[in-house]
Amino acid sequence: MDSVTDDFIIPQDWSSYSAVDHATWDRLFARQQAMLPGRVVPAFLKGLDVLRLSKPGIPDFAELSDRLMHATGWQVVAVPGLVPDDVFYEHLANRRFVAGRTIRRPDQLDYLEEPDVFHDVFGHVPLLTDPVFADYMQAYGEGGRRAASLGAIDKLARLYWYTVEFGLIRDGDATRIFGAGIVSSRSESVFALDDPSPNRIAFDLKRVMRTRYRIDDYQQTYFVIDSFDDLLRQTLDADFGPIYAELDAAEDLDVDRILPGDRLLTRGTQRHARARTAR
Ligand code: PHE
Ligand code: FE
């Protein structure tokens, strides 16, 4: 991935954003900033601060990367949308986070077909200022190359989904959100913590890698890590090769399945999902 043509990186072209684009960012930012204290892991709020993300308007990736580079050696680069898995892994392994440059329309504040710059930057980048989380993301990229060579991308992708996108974390006696898909969504930042519908289960690596996920609605199960240290240790120390082989023989688990061995923090009513299906 050394050549400049196959890395999918494009200029952010910050000066081409309209006043409406910047105003959309500001509205989304204000909504989440009001919502998150007490719900999100403290490291996220610290990241907003370190990166000066409260400055109005869509962040300029060059400026953002300067601050992030200083904090943990990561950069943010613009790409045209979703990129191939191998490109994505290669960037992560080199501490480059790929982000979309476009922002949703003002009439779509809560509705997203594809990640936009608000999800990618507000959702993902603040935690990259946390040294342990930053190392986890790099390790994930390296793990991705390996998973690709072992035909196990689907299993590794579930780990990303249930941690980086939709993860919950213990904070003393409380549970907080940290996944980017949650922290960038006004309604899911409430649902994931407070709604009686979803299961909340203590993180277990193999269990997570067996669990399907849904991309069209709130999750029916969230997994709760103890700490970023614990997540990094569990994933870095484990040799995923034998785990992938073992899981090939195991059945995939449905999104609402509860196993006898699960450390269940909340047994969900699944009311939300049932109401959806019944429509
Ligand atoms: N330890 C994993 C492997 O052997 C790599 C990895 C680390 C994957 C951290 C994800 C997160 O493949
Ligand atoms: Fe994302």
Side-chain angles (χ1 to χ4, degrees):
M1 218 58 59
D2 285 323
S3 96
V4 281
T5 49
D6 58 9
D7 64 9
F8 284 71
I9 295 178
I10 56 171
Q12 183 193 13
D13 199 9
W14 189 83
S15 59
S16 72
Y17 290 121
S18 69
V20 172
D21 292 337
H22 288 302
T24 299
W25 171 282
D26 291 346
R27 281 173 68 188
L28 289 164
F29 186 92
R31 291 193 337 178
Q32 288 317 92
Q33 198 181 32
M35 176 75 72
L36 292 178
R39 300 186 165 273
V40 75
V41 65
F44 181 94
L45 297 173
K46 196 176 160 203
L48 290 182
D49 213 43
V50 167
L51 299 171
R52 308 275 195 279
L53 275 175
S54 60
K55 194 175 139 183
I58 299 170
D60 182 337
F61 290 3
E63 192 184 319
L64 190 60
S65 292
D66 278 349
R67 296 191 194 280
L68 189 55
M69 178 63 78
H70 186 72
T72 53
W74 275 76
Q75 288 171 264
V76 179
V77 292
V79 292
L82 295 174
V83 301
D85 291 330
D86 59 333
V87 176
F88 180 65
Y89 296 143
E90 195 63 25
H91 285 307
L92 291 183
N94 289 287
R95 289 173 106 85
R96 286 187 296 268
F97 190 78
V98 296
R101 57 165 305 283
T102 57
I103 191 148
R104 67 197 77 179
R105 298 203 322 248
D107 60 334
Q108 295 186 322
L109 287 202
D110 296 300
Y111 173 79
L112 264 199
E113 261 168 21
E114 268 200 15
D116 71 344
V117 66
F118 185 76
H119 167 82
D120 284 341
V121 170
F122 182 89
H124 285 280
V125 177
L127 279 185
L128 289 171
T129 62
D130 181 272
V132 179
F133 190 83
D135 285 353
Y136 173 66
M137 290 292 280
Q138 178 185 352
Y140 186 91
E142 288 162 1
R145 292 172 174 151
R146 183 158 181 239
S149 74
L150 296 170
I153 281 186
D154 52 336
K155 297 187 186 70
L156 190 70
R158 290 169 176 164
L159 175 63
Y160 192 89
W161 191 264
Y162 282 118
T163 58
V164 179
E165 293 291 354
F166 292 97
L168 303 182
I169 184 169
R170 300 300 303 173
D171 182 20
D173 286 338
T175 305
R176 311 272 187 225
I177 57 181
F178 77 90
I182 308 176
V183 302
S184 63
S185 160
R186 179 162 70 169
S187 53
E188 198 155 358
S189 40
V190 175
F191 180 89
L193 283 185
D194 296 348
D195 202 280
S197 294
N199 302 324
R200 298 181 184 87
I201 300 175
F203 178 83
D204 176 278
L205 181 62
K206 288 186 200 173
R207 203 310 186 182
V208 165
M209 285 205 236
R210 289 173 64 191
T211 310
R212 299 197 177 97
Y213 56 83
R214 48 188 315 168
I215 59 170
D216 59 333
D217 200 348
Y218 301 137
Q219 301 307 303
Q220 288 179 242
T221 295
Y222 296 91
F223 290 96
V224 186
I225 63 169
D226 279 342
S227 64
F228 293 137
D229 273 307
D230 184 64
L231 176 65
L232 180 64
R233 205 167 346 100
Q234 280 201 52
T235 49
L236 208 55
D237 288 356
D239 179 356
F240 284 17
I243 297 179
Y244 294 146
E246 179 190 332
L247 295 186
D248 267 339
E251 50 162 350
D252 285 345
L253 302 174
D254 274 334
V255 291
D256 59 348
R257 182 78 178 273
I258 295 173
L259 297 179
D262 285 339
R263 245 201 316 138
L264 198 57
L265 306 169
T266 314
R267 178 183 295 273
T269 61
Q270 299 299 342
R271 188 162 172 272
H272 175 80
R274 269 200 224 100
R276 279 291 167 111
T277 320
R279 273 213 298 236

